[in-house]
């Protein structure tokens, strides 16, 4: 059981995961620090060490009493101002409460500013472990969902699936799946930081619930079909900044004047956002969320716009945030500060007239302050009210009670003005802090609309289609294209078809060969085997995110997990060779794959001798195809790319379970041409 907090946005999640899958879950969440109960020596417990090693992050020991249930209950109730945790869906003996209490105590300790609070934290929320298509850390890395295997690299034209220096085309992003949705000169991408974070979360945690996937598809279809509504929504989202993190900075007393003004401008878009989706039934949840907070946020946005200038300063050390005419006390202090020159001129003229001293001057400098200056010839006629302040070579400087009083007012006017501006700024921040729950609802609605619009923009730009999602574990793709390489190569990418598993409308007996659940793919190097198998996994991933896919038609069965075993890697620090890592990952797939899983294997058995590798590959393929009397419907959909041509005999040995595919190659004169089909 783990508690995860993103202090910058206020998200507070409770996660239940098996020990073996905890590192994968934390990796998907981009966790950067792990708290654990300190032992007598202060070192991480044995179960924590492999997690820290796998993530490569720092571990922080905490006192063991922070994890005690009673103390955890106390701090959670105190922070959220409740008497019972039942309203959060948590029982008193919930196993995740100790972790939640420990993380709150740690935040209380590390955020000690006098004005800082944790008011921006959302109540702890346990996410349903079901309903998600699971990708472990290996699959995320192999499929290059968030980053490429070799850094910012893209595929070299003419050699699908192989790495090369990153393309200079801005539309190619960084070569990862997330990169194709990044903003560029030709593609708007997500307009808001919240949308970009949610897009990453959706790509790492696809759905596995048919109704939710279809609901997202309908929302994307709305923007694909109604481009005017899409343009209106895009314009409104462009005016929304990172309100989640701004709200967090306000609660932690770290907000700047620019943060406050940016928040006001962003919240002012609530009406425009609601209007943009007013006539879209598929977007009813987002519209209702915006309508529910509009009454609270619109007046707050208007008040910020009324009080604050349009171009705020970066800090309040010199003031300049509050408009003139907003506060009488502030205006008076500013007037005294700015009109000092006029008062000095009037005072000088009055002294000259009253005392007949035509050369008298009233001045100011930062060292001596305000003074009256008389030349030496007139100094003898200085009135008794003049007190000597400084003697110069050819002049004398004086001060009067009236000038001293004015100096006191002016020198304190700036401080009083800054103090008053700070008070008004703090008052606005307090109002924002009271509206933190509504602001979070607004931010979540903006993020969802942003990602859905991004999906629609990509579908329109690249002619992607809505896949048909079915409950049967089948897979039909016509003219499918690799989403990243298709972006880079554009019209030069060669599409491919695929058929795995049987649909309900397929005949139960004598199923055609193309309904086999395992496809064995052979072909020479550089021909496109890796591209084909990764392309399939990425299309399934996108479909489960509710996104359209690059194909002419697609029917995709619900998938509970996407497994991959691609490339060579080692873990020498853990005493694991390349072959050992390959076998461990493959064993994990064999133990956890279900009939609803998609398995992608590339060159299994190549890390050892030829005969041993062939034996391993044969046994693994037989197991995945269900050779031991297991019904074909109980085996996972599998793409198995290999150089062991002996495995092609499995098609005859396991009819209806294994189908042979080979990459087409043609001879042209003295050259060999890869058709990538």
């Amino acid at each position: 059981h783990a508690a995860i907090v993103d202090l910058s946005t206020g998200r507070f999640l409770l996660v239940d995961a098996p020990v073996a899958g905890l590192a994968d879950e934390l990796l998907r969440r981009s966790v950067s620090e792990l708290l654990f109960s300190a032992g007598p020596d202060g070192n991480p417990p044995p179960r924590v060490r492999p997690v820290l090693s796998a993530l490569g992050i720092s571990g922080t020991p905490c006192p063991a009493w922070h994890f005690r249930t009673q103390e955890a209950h106390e701090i959670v109730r105190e922070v959220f101002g409740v008497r019972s945790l039942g309203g959060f869906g948590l029982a008193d003996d919930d196993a995740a409460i100790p972790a939640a209490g420990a993380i709150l105590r740690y935040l209380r300790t590390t955020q000690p500013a006098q004005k800082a609070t944790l008011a921006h934290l959302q109540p702890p929320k346990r996410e349903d472990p079901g309903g998600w298509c699971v990708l472990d850390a290996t699959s995320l890395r192999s499929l290059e969902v968030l980053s490429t295997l070799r850094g910012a690299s893209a595929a070299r034209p003419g050699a699908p699936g192989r790495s090369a220096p990153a393309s200079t085309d801005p539309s190619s992003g960084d070569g990862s799946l997330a990169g194709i949705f990044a903003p560029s000169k030709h593609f708007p991408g997500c307009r808001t930081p919240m949308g970009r974070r949610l897009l990453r979360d959706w790509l790492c945690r696809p759905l596995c619930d048919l109704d939710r996937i279809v609901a997202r598809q309908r929302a994307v279809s709305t923007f694909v079909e109604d481009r005017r509504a899409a343009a209106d929504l895009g314009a409104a989202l462009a005016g929304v900044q990172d309100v989640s993190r701004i709200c967090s900075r306000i609660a932690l007393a770290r907000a700047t004047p620019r943060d406050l003004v940016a928040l006001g401008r962003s919240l002012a878009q609530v009406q425009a956002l609601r209007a943009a989706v007013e006539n879209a039934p598929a977007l009813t949840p987002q519209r209702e969320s915006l309508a529910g907070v509009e009454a609270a946020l619109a007046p707050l946005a208007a008040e910020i716009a009324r009080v604050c200038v349009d171009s705020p300063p970066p800090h309040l050390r010199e003031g300049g945030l509050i408009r003139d005419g907003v506060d009488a006390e502030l205006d008076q202090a500013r007037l005294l500060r700015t009109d000092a020159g006029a008062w000095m001129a009037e005072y000088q003229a009055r002294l000259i007239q009253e005392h007949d001293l035509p050369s008298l001057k009233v001045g100011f400098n930062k060292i001596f302050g305000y003074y009256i200056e008389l030349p030496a010839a007139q100094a003898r006629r200085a009135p008794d009210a003049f007190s000597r302040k400084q003697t110069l070579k050819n002049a004398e400087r004086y001060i009067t009670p009236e000038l001293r009083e004015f100096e006191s007012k002016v020198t304190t006017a700036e401080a009083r003005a800054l103090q008053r501006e700070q008070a008004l700024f703090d008052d606005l921040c307090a109002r924002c802090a009271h509206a933190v729950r509504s602001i979070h609802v607004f931010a979540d609605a903006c993020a969802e609309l942003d990602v859905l619009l991004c999906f629609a923009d990509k579908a329109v730009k690249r002619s992607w289609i809505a896949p048909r999602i079915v409950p049967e574990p089948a897979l039909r793709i016509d003219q499918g294209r690799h989403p990243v390489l298709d972006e880079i190569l554009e019209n030069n990418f060669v599409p491919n078809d695929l058929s795995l598993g049987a649909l309900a409308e397929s005949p139960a007996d004598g199923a055609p060969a193309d309904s086999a659940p395992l496809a064995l793919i052979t072909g020479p190097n550089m021909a496109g085997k890796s591209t084909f198998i990764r392309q399939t996994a990425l299309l399934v991933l996108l479909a489960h995110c509710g996104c359209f896919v690059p194909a002419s038609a697609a029917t995709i069965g619900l998938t509970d997990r996407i497994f991959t075993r691609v490339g060579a890697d080692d873990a020498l620090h853990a005493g694991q060779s390349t072959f050992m890592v390959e076998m461990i990952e493959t064993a994990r797939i064999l133990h956890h794959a279900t009939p609803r899983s998609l398995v992608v294997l590339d060159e299994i058995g190549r890390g050892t001798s030829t005969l041993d590798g062939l034996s391993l590959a044969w046994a693994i393929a037989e197991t995945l195809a269900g050779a031991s009397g297991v019904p074909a419907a109980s085996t996972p959909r599998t793409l198995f790319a290999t150089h062991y041509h002996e495995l092609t005999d499995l098609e005859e040995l396991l009819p209806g379970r294994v189908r042979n595919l080979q990459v087409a190659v043609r001879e042209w004169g003295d050259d060999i041409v890869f058709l990538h089909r």
Side-chain angles (χ1 to χ4, degrees):
H1 306 280
I4 303 175
V5 168
D6 184 347
L7 189 62
S8 66
T9 63
R11 292 185 66 83
F12 193 169
L13 301 176
L14 303 180
V15 175
D16 299 328
V19 174
L22 183 59
D24 294 331
E25 188 66 36
L26 298 182
L27 179 69
R28 284 191 288 270
R29 303 293 183 184
S30 298
V31 171
S32 59
E33 184 178 8
L34 184 66
L35 310 181
F36 58 86
S37 177
D41 56 358
N43 293 324
R47 70 180 185 280
V48 175
R49 291 172 197 157
V51 177
L52 291 173
S53 176
L55 299 179
I57 62 176
S58 62
T60 303
C62 294
W65 67 270
H66 284 188
F67 291 85
R68 287 205 292 259
T69 302
Q70 182 177 351
E71 282 75 4
H73 268 282
E74 291 177 359
I75 187 67
V76 174
R77 291 197 300 265
E78 179 185 345
V79 169
F80 292 101
V82 296
R83 294 186 177 182
S84 170
L85 303 184
F88 301 150
L90 302 177
D92 290 341
D93 59 349
D94 194 295
I97 290 179
I103 205 168
L104 288 177
R105 289 194 184 278
Y106 180 73
L107 292 176
R108 277 280 184 87
T109 304
T110 56
Q111 307 298 322
Q114 183 177 1
K115 297 180 181 179
T117 68
L118 298 177
H120 70 294
L121 287 186
Q122 302 178 36
K125 177 182 179 182
R126 169 175 275 107
E127 292 199 339
D128 182 5
W132 308 103
C133 176
V134 179
L135 285 86
D136 57 19
T138 300
S139 298
L140 288 172
R141 183 177 64 253
S142 300
L143 297 178
E144 301 181 319
V145 174
L146 301 178
S147 61
T148 58
L149 289 172
R150 298 183 181 179
S153 62
R156 181 170 65 253
R162 304 303 176 186
S163 297
S167 170
T168 56
D169 180 3
S171 66
S172 66
D174 61 358
S176 66
L177 180 63
I180 67 174
F181 296 102
S184 69
K185 181 171 64 175
H186 305 291
F187 180 68
C190 288
R191 278 78 169 175
T192 69
M194 298 90 69
R196 290 189 282 273
R197 289 194 296 270
L198 185 63
L199 171 64
R200 180 194 181 285
D201 185 59
W202 283 9
L203 293 178
C204 291
R205 288 162 48 81
L207 298 173
C208 189
D209 181 277
L210 183 60
D211 293 337
R212 294 175 65 190
I213 295 173
V214 172
R216 283 189 189 173
Q217 283 187 346
R218 289 172 179 167
V220 175
S221 297
T222 298
F223 295 128
V224 170
E225 298 166 1
D226 190 347
R227 298 308 294 165
R228 181 173 181 178
D232 292 342
L233 179 62
L237 287 171
V240 178
Q241 299 190 37
D242 200 343
V243 296
S244 294
R245 290 187 170 172
I246 292 175
C247 189
S248 299
R249 289 196 289 271
I250 288 175
L252 296 173
R254 297 174 182 170
T256 67
R258 290 180 178 176
D259 286 334
L260 182 63
V261 173
L263 179 62
R265 290 174 178 168
S266 301
L267 299 182
Q269 298 296 323
V270 62
Q271 295 171 329
L273 289 169
R274 181 182 54 77
V277 297
E278 189 67 39
N279 299 316
L283 298 165
T284 298
Q286 292 82 7
R287 184 176 63 253
E288 291 179 347
S289 295
L290 293 171
V293 298
E294 183 176 343
L297 299 185
L300 179 59
E303 180 65 10
I304 294 174
R306 182 187 72 85
V307 172
C308 300
V309 297
D310 295 330
S311 300
H315 50 73
L316 272 181
R317 288 194 293 269
E318 297 179 0
L321 171 64
I322 308 301
R323 296 180 186 273
D324 291 333
V326 170
D327 183 78
E329 182 180 344
L330 176 61
D331 291 343
Q332 182 180 10
R334 284 177 172 174
L335 184 64
L336 190 59
R337 184 180 60 186
T338 57
D339 288 355
W343 185 91
M344 289 167 59
E346 186 273 333
Y347 185 58
Q348 175 178 305
R350 178 154 51 89
L351 290 178
I352 290 174
Q353 183 178 4
E354 290 179 356
H355 303 291
D356 190 21
L357 298 169
S359 300
L360 181 146
K361 295 180 181 178
V362 177
F364 169 82
N365 65 41
K366 294 183 179 180
I367 298 176
F368 291 100
Y370 290 90
Y371 59 84
I372 300 170
E373 183 176 295
L374 289 173
Q378 297 183 17
R380 294 188 299 270
R381 296 193 293 119
D384 295 339
F386 285 20
S387 300
R388 193 181 304 276
K389 188 173 187 179
Q390 184 184 14
T391 299
L392 304 178
K393 180 179 180 181
N394 298 314
E396 296 285 345
R397 289 180 175 175
Y398 304 89
I399 189 74
T400 65
E402 185 177 3
L403 187 58
R404 185 177 288 111
E405 181 183 357
F406 176 76
E407 180 179 26
S408 176
K409 290 181 179 180
V410 171
T411 53
T412 60
E414 183 171 357
R416 286 188 286 112
L418 293 176
Q419 184 179 6
R420 187 56 185 164
E421 282 206 60
Q422 184 68 53
L424 294 172
F425 174 74
D426 290 344
D427 181 64
L428 285 175
C429 288
R431 292 187 58 179
C432 294
H434 284 117
V436 63
R437 300 288 180 251
S438 297
I439 294 175
H440 280 313
V441 172
F442 172 79
D444 290 344
C446 287
E448 292 179 9
L449 291 172
D450 200 6
V451 179
L452 294 170
L453 179 59
C454 179
F455 283 169
D457 289 339
K458 179 61 68 175
V460 171
K461 184 176 186 294
R462 302 298 305 164
S463 300
W464 291 8
I465 57 96
R468 176 188 170 210
I469 309 297
V470 296
E472 299 93 344
L475 193 57
R476 302 283 188 276
I477 298 174
D478 297 336
Q479 299 293 292
R481 310 186 300 276
H482 191 293
V484 179
L485 298 183
D486 183 51
E487 191 85 17
I488 300 171
L489 302 178
E490 296 184 343
N491 297 328
N492 295 322
F493 186 83
V494 179
N496 272 283
D497 302 335
L498 176 67
S499 177
L500 283 180
L503 292 168
E505 58 264 26
S506 300
D509 299 324
D514 66 357
S515 66
L518 188 147
L520 198 65
I521 307 163
T522 57
N525 288 325
M526 307 294 290
K529 300 189 303 296
S530 296
T531 297
F532 179 72
I533 62 177
R534 290 182 181 177
Q535 161 188 315
T536 302
L538 290 176
L539 295 187
V540 171
L541 189 159
L542 286 174
H544 283 71
C545 291
C547 183
F548 286 20
V549 298
S552 62
T555 299
I556 298 175
L558 278 178
T559 305
D560 60 358
R561 296 191 67 156
I562 299 176
F563 292 100
T564 64
R565 168 86 278 281
V566 177
D569 195 9
D570 61 45
L572 298 181
H573 63 281
Q576 297 176 359
S577 65
T578 301
F579 176 68
M580 178 61 74
V581 170
E582 178 184 2
M583 290 299 99
I584 290 174
E585 292 180 357
T586 305
R588 183 185 303 129
I589 293 173
L590 296 177
H591 281 105
H592 293 94
T594 72
R596 292 191 176 279
S597 300
L598 174 67
V599 179
V600 172
L601 302 175
D602 193 9
E603 304 296 352
I604 288 293
R606 299 290 286 182
T608 186
S609 64
T610 302
L611 291 180
D612 287 347
L614 174 58
S615 299
L616 284 167
W618 187 289
I620 292 167
E622 277 191 329
T623 301
L624 290 171
S628 303
V630 179
S634 300
T635 59
R637 292 156 292 175
T638 305
L639 294 173
F640 197 120
T642 183
H643 276 107
Y644 293 125
H645 294 277
E646 294 84 352
L647 296 182
T648 56
D649 293 343
L650 289 172
E651 184 179 58
E652 296 182 2
L653 297 175
L654 301 173
R657 296 175 180 269
V658 177
R659 179 191 179 195
N660 287 334
L661 300 176
Q662 68 179 57
V663 182
V665 178
R666 294 289 184 270
E667 294 186 17
W668 183 264
D670 294 332
D671 296 327
I672 295 178
V673 180
F674 296 152
L675 303 183
H676 305 306
R677 292 282 296 178

